[in-house]
């Protein structure tokens, strides 16, 4: 289970990082979920002259934040992920998001919030190693970014056997980003698994929680379940 935030447009990267830190520590945890703290790794993804850059770490994001060079992350797109490992064995740099996968000549990146322990069965595996990695594999193999639509995602998720909690995710390619809101209708924690959206005049924000960002204008709205929000990059 994790917390995520992404920003596109004109924004202060330091404020986005601070919002991620607040979520990781439970300071903005006004939801129904049992998990408030997310101390098991973190990652950042941003655009640098049209190229995707990433930074990963282990442990609490609050401990790592003072050592991050914020100037490196100044961009028109930034996404941050802070993690609570559902399975204690899945900790370390290899499990920090964003995850990535090359498929059909396209490099895909993903940040995931949720637990999908039955996905591996669709990949012909005997057992699951890391559900988020298997989720990315399941969704992007054998497709192009043009195929990545709400109808496609809904159809794929309809085939997933019960037993998971959510498939909320941020997907990024070189030309586009998507925020995908998905949880099963019988989830006991719909607030925890609902992402929030805020549109400003010159910035789009999507986050796992309606965090406070100084100077931001406009109200947060809850994303609809099975909503896909698409952001083309024009840099």
């Amino acid at each position: 289970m994790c917390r995520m935030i992404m920003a596109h447009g004109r924004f202060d990267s330091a404020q986005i990082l601070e919002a991620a830190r607040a979520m990781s520590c439970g300071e903005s945890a006004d939801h129904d979920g049992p998990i408030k703290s997310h101390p098991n790794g973190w990652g950042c993804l941003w655009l640098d002259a049209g190229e995707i850059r990433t930074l990963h770490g282990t442990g609490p994001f609050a401990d790592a934040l003072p050592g991050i060079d914020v100037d490196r992350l100044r961009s028109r797109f930034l996404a941050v992920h802070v993690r609570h490992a559902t399975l204690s064995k899945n900790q370390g740099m290899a499990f920090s998001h964003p995850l990535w996968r090359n498929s059909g000549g396209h490099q895909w990146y993903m940040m995931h919030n949720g637990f999908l322990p039955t996905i591996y069965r669709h990949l012909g595996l005997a057992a699951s190693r890391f559900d988020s990695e298997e989720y990315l594999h399941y969704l992007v193999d054998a497709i192009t970014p043009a195929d990545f639509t709400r109808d496609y995602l809904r159809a794929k998720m309809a085939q997933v056997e019960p037993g998971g909690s959510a498939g909320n995710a941020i997907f990024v390619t070189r030309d586009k980003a998507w925020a995908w809101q998905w949880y099963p209708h019988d989830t006991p924690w719909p607030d925890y698994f609902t992402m929030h959206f805020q549109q400003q005049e010159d910035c789009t924000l999507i986050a796992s929680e309606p965090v406070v960002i100084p100077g931001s204008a406009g109200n947060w709205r809850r994303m609809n379940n099975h909503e896909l929000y698409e952001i083309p990059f024009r840099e």
Side-chain angles (χ1 to χ4, degrees), residues 57-216:
T58 60
F61 186 56
D63 293 348
L65 183 54
I68 295 177
D69 181 1
V70 177
D71 287 337
R72 286 183 60 198
L73 279 64
R74 299 201 184 278
S75 170
R76 287 188 55 80
F77 181 84
L78 173 62
V80 187
H81 182 276
V82 293
R83 185 166 182 262
H84 180 284
T86 306
L87 303 179
S88 58
K89 68 180 181 69
N90 288 352
Q91 296 189 49
M93 194 69 79
F95 300 97
S96 295
H97 300 215
L99 308 175
W100 62 90
R101 184 173 185 84
N102 191 294
S103 177
H106 298 278
Q107 189 82 355
W108 294 83
Y109 296 82
M110 183 193 73
M111 297 176 172
H112 172 215
N113 168 34
F115 182 51
L116 297 170
T118 65
I119 286 276
Y120 77 94
R121 297 171 185 167
H122 295 271
L123 305 178
L125 302 175
S128 174
R129 172 187 173 270
F130 182 27
D131 67 292
S132 293
E133 185 175 69
E134 291 144 12
Y135 183 36
L136 177 60
H137 183 173
Y138 175 64
L139 289 183
V140 307
D141 271 20
I143 69 164
T144 70
D147 302 316
F148 203 73
T149 65
R150 179 174 180 265
D151 287 346
Y152 166 78
L153 292 171
R154 292 188 70 183
K156 292 289 281 188
M157 298 310 293
Q159 299 174 46
V160 176
E161 296 175 48
S165 62
N168 294 347
I170 295 168
F171 297 91
V172 184
T173 65
R174 183 172 177 175
D175 299 316
K176 195 174 292 187
W178 299 261
W180 167 233
Q181 167 70 58
W182 185 91
Y183 58 75
H185 290 291
D186 60 353
T187 180
W189 305 305
D191 288 342
Y192 181 77
F193 289 121
T194 294
M195 295 193 292
H196 293 74
F197 175 97
Q198 185 183 105
Q199 183 64 61
Q200 303 178 21
E201 181 178 353
D202 51 5
C203 179
T204 300
L205 297 168
I206 296 177
S208 297
E209 298 168 10
V211 290
V212 175
I213 298 178
S216 65

